[in-house]
Amino acid sequence: MKIALACDHGGLNLKKEIIKYLKENGYDYKDFGTDSFDSCDYPDYALPAAEAVANGECDKGIVVCSTGIGVSIVANKVRGVRCAHCHDCYCAEFTRRHNDSNVLALGEKVVGVGYALKIVETFLTTAFEGGRHQRRVDKISDIEKKY
């Protein structure tokens, strides 16, 4: 599984910890930046990561900023991306099981590193249930096509 990663300056510390986790657990990844603590604009990094998930270059994505809100808004503008802003493992589990979310948004200043890595683990290891939930995901896709 290949993971698209992106952050702004407010999410760089957490992204570095996520990279360590991915390496230790045998995940492949592509880092779309940033690699600096200099102030930058999160859309410049979250967008190419989300596009990599949408076009199949990466299987899933993880985007990080101070709160996780900005990067989740950006990622969800990309057709085919279902980005979930999660701050606990329950939400990470159920967004995978029920929504087949393919991008996770995290806030570095909202959740501690240890718990954030548990959220990442839950997101990456939980399968989509399909069934009645597929019908709902299909409706989301129909909405994307409309707009």
Side-chain angles (χ1 to χ4, degrees):
M1 180 183 308
K2 188 171 185 177
I3 312 301
L5 291 173
C7 71
D8 68 357
H9 58 282
L12 183 55
N13 285 320
L14 181 54
K15 186 184 77 169
K16 288 178 178 183
E17 294 299 322
I18 293 169
I19 287 171
K20 287 181 195 173
Y21 169 86
L22 295 175
K23 287 179 179 179
E24 289 169 2
N25 288 280
Y27 290 98
D28 190 16
Y29 68 91
K30 182 169 182 180
D31 187 352
F32 290 88
T34 187
D35 295 316
S36 169
F37 290 106
D38 295 338
S39 182
C40 63
D41 300 329
Y42 55 83
D44 297 339
Y45 304 97
L47 178 61
E51 289 173 335
V53 174
N55 70 27
E57 179 184 349
C58 294
D59 302 296
K60 291 190 177 112
I62 302 171
V63 291
V64 186
C65 65
S66 294
T67 64
I69 297 168
V71 290
S72 70
I73 292 169
V74 171
N76 277 315
K77 298 294 182 189
V78 177
R79 181 180 284 190
V81 168
R82 290 173 304 284
C83 179
H85 177 209
C86 296
H87 56 270
D88 60 52
C89 291
Y90 182 85
C91 290
E93 176 185 353
F94 278 85
T95 198
R96 285 289 309 128
R97 288 174 60 185
H98 290 186
N99 310 118
D100 196 21
S101 290
N102 50 11
V103 177
L104 171 66
L106 293 168
E108 178 177 309
K109 294 187 177 14
V110 177
V111 62
V113 171
Y115 196 52
L117 296 179
K118 287 287 187 190
I119 294 168
V120 167
E121 177 181 31
T122 301
F123 183 81
L124 294 178
T125 60
T126 301
F128 177 52
E129 289 181 359
R132 68 183 202 256
H133 304 293
Q134 183 62 56
R135 180 178 72 246
R136 296 163 187 158
V137 171
D138 291 343
K139 288 182 178 189
I140 293 169
S141 295
D142 290 343
I143 292 167
E144 288 178 332
K145 291 173 190 167
K146 182 178 178 181
Y147 295 96

